Amino acid sequence: MLRHRLTPFVCGCLLAATAACERAVKSPAPATAPERADARVRELADAYLEGFFERNPDQVTLYGVPGRHHDALPDNALDALKAWQAREDAWLAQAKQIAPAAIAAAPLRGTYAIVREALEGSVGKRVCRDELWNVSQMTGWQVSFGYLVTIQPVGSDEARREALARWSRLPQYIDTEIVNLRDGLKAGYSAPKGNVRIVVDQLNSLIATPTADSPFDSPSVRDKTPAFAAQFDVL
């Protein structure tokens, strides 16, 4: 996968754990050492979760996170990935400064463990350089976005504006993928030949599919607003 992202299970756990933390009773007394540790875990979890959804706006739609916009695709440029990794490193450094034994609230101990595991796992996986050989018949953009577009919110003026904003960015996303793959080949990274052939077949099938029958036309088919459909179909 191009983006270092949480698994659905881990992200779901983090969302649930963060919600549980918000329900924890806060003492009005001056902060003790455990309370300071708890506050630091809350701040770290909030910052990481916010950063994760900024980095992966598609996940907002996939998880149905309330109060968020559905108008962007992830930035798959290598410079953006480098900036994200720097943020991960900073969060992991913060996590390592928190002593687990000093965390008083049980939900926060779980939150801390989830955040730290997610960060350490992502940092450890960097050696794979997934962003340089992201050709997959299972998780490539043609599959993941092919599903995302079918759950793109529509039905209101705002939703239609966001749908147009998000999917107008797909050509640039694909162009950036091509650049990344070429850089990967120069550096000696490539996906297995069999996988590549399957992806080529998938892409040829998408190209040959009439627009009205394509999963990527789902928003205009579901919304049925003529002006929106006309705009969306020429993206």
Side-chain angles (χ1 to χ4, degrees):
M1 295 173 64
L2 173 68
R3 297 174 301 281
H4 297 300
R5 62 172 57 174
L6 297 174
T7 64
F9 174 76
V10 172
C11 190
C13 287
L14 184 54
L15 284 166
T18 303
C21 295
E22 292 298 321
R23 294 193 295 269
V25 177
K26 298 181 181 180
S27 171
T32 62
E35 288 169 342
R36 285 196 295 272
D38 287 12
R40 292 173 69 188
V41 172
R42 288 191 191 94
E43 292 172 1
L44 175 63
D46 288 346
Y48 178 59
L49 195 60
E50 181 66 25
F52 174 80
F53 286 130
E54 289 176 3
R55 170 72 180 154
N56 302 285
D58 55 326
Q59 301 296 294
V60 170
T61 306
L62 290 172
Y63 287 112
V65 182
R68 301 272 181 161
H69 293 288
H70 306 273
D71 59 352
L73 293 174
D75 187 345
N76 56 338
L78 297 184
D79 286 346
L81 174 60
K82 185 177 180 180
W84 168 249
Q85 290 175 343
R87 297 183 73 184
E88 285 184 316
D89 292 340
W91 285 322
L92 183 56
Q94 293 176 32
K96 290 179 177 180
Q97 293 173 359
I98 301 172
I103 303 171
L108 286 169
R109 290 196 293 272
T111 298
Y112 173 82
I114 292 168
V115 172
R116 183 157 180 175
E117 186 279 334
L119 289 168
E120 290 181 340
S122 182
V123 171
K125 196 172 182 293
R126 290 177 191 173
V127 67
C128 298
R129 298 303 307 274
D130 291 342
E131 67 278 5
L132 296 180
W133 54 288
N134 185 39
V135 180
S136 171
Q137 73 273 28
M138 301 296 291
T139 60
W141 68 264
Q142 77 283 358
V143 176
S144 60
F145 290 169
Y147 172 68
L148 179 68
V149 73
T150 66
I151 60 171
Q152 175 73 36
V154 290
S156 69
D157 288 343
E158 180 180 15
R160 285 187 283 270
R161 284 193 297 270
E162 292 190 350
L164 289 169
R166 168 176 278 171
W167 296 105
S168 67
R169 300 178 184 182
L170 182 59
Q172 179 60 51
Y173 185 97
I174 297 172
D175 287 344
T176 303
E177 283 288 87
I178 293 171
V179 171
N180 294 345
L181 293 174
R182 286 174 174 165
D183 286 347
L185 289 174
K186 292 176 183 177
Y189 293 87
S190 65
K193 186 180 295 184
N195 293 25
V196 174
R197 287 172 173 161
I198 294 173
V199 171
V200 170
D201 287 342
Q202 289 176 331
L203 295 176
N204 285 335
S205 178
L206 275 174
I207 293 170
T209 301
T211 299
D213 298 327
S214 171
F216 284 91
D217 197 41
S218 174
S220 69
V221 171
R222 288 182 288 116
D223 189 272
K224 302 184 185 305
T225 302
F228 170 71
Q231 287 181 284
F232 195 87
D233 288 350
V234 297
L235 289 179

